Amino acid sequence: RRQAWQLDQELPDTARELDRETVDGGLDAYKKPELVELASSIGIESRSSMTKPELVDAITKAARRQARQGARK
C-alpha cells in the first residue's frame, strides 16, 4: 500500500503527465478509470461500483487516515 506522502507526491506528477489542471488536490482532474486504479493501489474495496465523487472521497479519506497513522508512529 502507498503511504499518504507518496500519494501527495504522485498525484500532482500524474496530473502534469496528463497535462491537466489540478482542482481540489488534483483528484477531480482524473477520469474515473484512473481513480479506480489509484483506489486499487491503496487497497480501497468496492471501488468498481463507486461513482467518481465517491472515489475522490474514499481516496482522500484513505490518504488522511494513512497520514494520521504515520504521524502516530
Side-chain angles (χ1 to χ4, degrees):
R1 291 187 182 198
R2 293 182 185 169
Q3 297 298 314
W5 64 269
Q6 290 171 308
L7 289 176
D8 289 342
Q9 291 175 346
E10 291 173 15
L11 292 176
D13 291 341
T14 303
R16 276 192 292 278
E17 289 170 13
L18 296 170
D19 195 28
R20 295 203 186 123
E21 294 295 319
T22 57
V23 178
D24 190 27
L27 293 175
D28 287 332
Y30 287 80
K31 294 180 182 174
K32 184 178 176 185
E34 295 166 330
L35 291 170
V36 170
E37 183 178 338
L38 180 57
S40 172
S41 73
I42 59 174
I44 295 174
E45 296 181 13
S46 303
R47 59 196 167 267
S48 298
S49 62
M50 291 182 180
T51 63
K52 183 176 175 179
E54 289 172 331
L55 285 163
V56 169
D57 188 51
I59 293 167
T60 301
K61 286 179 181 176
R64 287 182 186 150
R65 189 170 38 253
Q66 288 179 353
R68 281 195 307 271
Q69 289 173 350
R72 288 188 212 154
K73 292 182 180 182

